[in-house]
C-alpha cells in the first residue's frame, strides 16, 4: 500500500479503537453498579488522601475539604442504593438457583439485604435531616450498626456461596477427567469461572473487616486502613464488573 493509504488505515483503526474505549467506558459508568465501583474508589481514596495529608500537615482546611468531598461521594452511593430493597425482594421471589444449597444461601442473602437497605436509608435521612426525623442520635447509631450487621451476614453468606460454587465446579472437572464429558472449551470456561470466584472472594475479604468495623460500638480500624480496604474492593469489584 502507498504510505498515505497506510497512514489513513492506521488513523481509522486508531479512531475506531478510541471510539470502542469510550463506548465501553460509557456503558460501564452508566450502569448503576459500574458507577458505584467508581464512586466507591473515589470515596475510599479520599480517606487515604486525607489521612496522609493530616500526617504531614495536621488538621487543615485542605484535609477537611478532602473528607467532605469523600463524604459527598459516599452520600451519592447511598442515594444510588435507594432501590436496593426492591432488588432484594425481587431476588427472594425469583430465585432460580438449581442447587438447593446455593438456593438457600441466595434466599438468606436477599433477606439480609431486605434488612440492610431500609435501615441504611433511614439512618442516612436522619443524619441529613435531624429536624425532620427526630429519632435520638444514639438510636440512629444503633440502627446503623444493625444495618452493618446485616451486611456482615451477607458477606459471610457470600463466602459460603463462593465455597459451594468452587466445590461444584471442581466436581465437574473431576468427572470430566474420568469420563471425558466436557470439551476442552468447557473446561477452560470452568477454570475461568473458578478464577472469577477467587477474585469475588478477594472483594469479600476486603469488605469483611469493614463490616465488622461498623458493626461494633467502638470501631477499631484507622481511616487509612478503611480507605485501603475500600479501594481494593472497588478495584477488584470494578474489574469483575467490567469483564463480566
Amino acid at each position: 500500500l502507498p504510505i498515505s493509504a497506510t497512514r489513513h488505515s492506521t488513523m481509522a483503526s486508531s479512531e475506531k479503537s478510541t471510539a470502542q474505549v469510550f463506548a465501553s467506558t460509557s456503558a460501564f459508568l452508566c450502569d448503576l453498579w459500574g458507577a458505584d465501583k467508581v464512586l466507591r474508589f473515589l470515596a475510599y481514596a479520599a480517606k487515604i488522601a486525607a489521612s496522609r495529608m493530616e500526617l504531614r500537615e495536621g488538621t487543615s482546611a485542605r484535609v477537611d475539604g478532602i473528607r467532605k468531598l469523600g463524604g459527598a461521594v459516599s452520600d451519592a452511593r447511598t442515594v444510588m442504593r435507594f432501590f436496593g430493597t426492591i432488588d432484594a425482594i425481587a431476588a427472594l421471589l425469583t430465585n432460580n438457583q438449581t442447587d438447593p444449597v446455593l438456593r438457600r444461601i441466595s434466599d438468606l442473602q436477599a433477606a439480609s439485604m431486605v434488612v440492610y437497605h431500609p435501615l441504611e436509608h433511614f439512618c442516612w435521612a436522619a443524619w441529613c435531616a435531624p429536624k425532620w426525623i427526630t429519632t435520638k442520635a444514639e438510636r440512629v447509631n444503633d440502627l446503623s450498626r444493625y444495618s452493618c450487621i446485616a451486611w456482615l451476614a451477607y458477606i459471610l453468606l457470600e463466602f459460603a456461596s463462593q465455597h459451594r460454587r468452587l466445590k461444584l465446579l471442581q466436581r465437574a472437572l473431576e468427572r470430566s477427567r474420568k469420563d471425558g464429558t466436557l470439551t476442552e472449551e468447557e473446561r477452560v470456561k470452568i477454570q475461568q469461572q473458578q478464577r472469577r470466584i477467587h477474585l469475588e472472594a478477594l472483594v469479600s475479604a476486603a469488605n469483611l473487616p469493614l463490616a465488622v468495623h461498623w458493626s461494633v460500638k467502638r470501631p477499631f480500624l484507622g481511616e487509612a486502613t478503611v480507605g485501603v480496604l475500600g479501594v481494593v474492593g472497588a478495584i477488584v469489584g470494578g474489574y469483575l464488573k467490567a469483564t463480566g
Side-chain angles (χ1 to χ4, degrees), residues 3 47 170 182 199 230 237:
I3 293 176
K47 290 183 179 294
Q170 188 59 36
L182 293 178
L199 289 175

Side-chain angles (χ1 to χ4, degrees), residues 217-236:
K217 287 189 175 181
R218 294 184 180 180
F220 54 91
L221 296 177
E223 183 179 33
T225 303
V226 169
V228 169
L229 290 169
V231 164
V232 169
I235 292 173
V236 180

Side-chain angles (χ1 to χ4, degrees), residues 79-100:
V79 172
M80 288 171 63
R81 292 194 294 267
F82 265 5
F83 303 109
T85 304
I86 297 173
D87 283 343
I89 294 172
L92 274 172
L93 298 175
T94 59
N95 190 340
N96 57 4
Q97 291 285 354
T98 55
D99 179 71

Side-chain angles (χ1 to χ4, degrees), residues 2-12:
I3 293 176
S4 59
T6 303
R7 184 179 301 149
H8 284 308
S9 176
T10 302
M11 289 177 62

Side-chain angles (χ1 to χ4, degrees), residues 25 28-45 73 77 80 230-231 233-235 237-239 241:
T25 301
F28 180 83
L29 293 176
C30 291
D31 177 87
L32 185 64
W33 300 117
D36 178 72
K37 300 300 180 288
V38 176
L39 293 178
R40 172 175 172 147
F41 175 85
L42 294 174
Y44 284 104
V73 175
R77 292 186 66 218
M80 288 171 63
V231 164
I235 292 173
Y239 170 80
K241 177 63 184 175

Side-chain angles (χ1 to χ4, degrees), residues 104-178:
R104 176 60 61 88
I105 292 172
S106 181
D107 281 341
L108 291 173
Q109 284 185 299
S112 72
M113 289 295 97
V114 170
V115 175
Y116 168 78
H117 285 291
L119 288 178
E120 179 195 42
H121 294 127
F122 174 82
C123 294
W124 177 80
W127 289 324
C128 290
K131 291 186 178 180
W132 284 90
I133 300 175
T134 57
T135 306
K136 291 182 179 179
E138 294 82 0
R139 181 58 175 166
V140 174
N141 290 336
D142 285 340
L143 293 175
S144 178
R145 286 194 303 106
Y146 299 154
S147 74
C148 290
I149 290 171
W151 182 37
L152 175 59
Y154 179 94
I155 294 168
L156 294 175
L157 288 164
E158 185 66 9
F159 278 123
S161 173
Q162 290 154 359
H163 175 75
R164 179 65 176 176
R165 284 182 285 146
L166 285 172
K167 189 175 181 179
L168 293 174
L169 290 172
Q170 188 59 36
R171 283 180 185 173
L173 283 176
E174 290 172 357
R175 280 198 305 269
S176 73
R177 293 191 186 103
K178 293 178 181 178

Side-chain angles (χ1 to χ4, degrees), residues 12 71 200:
E200 290 173 11

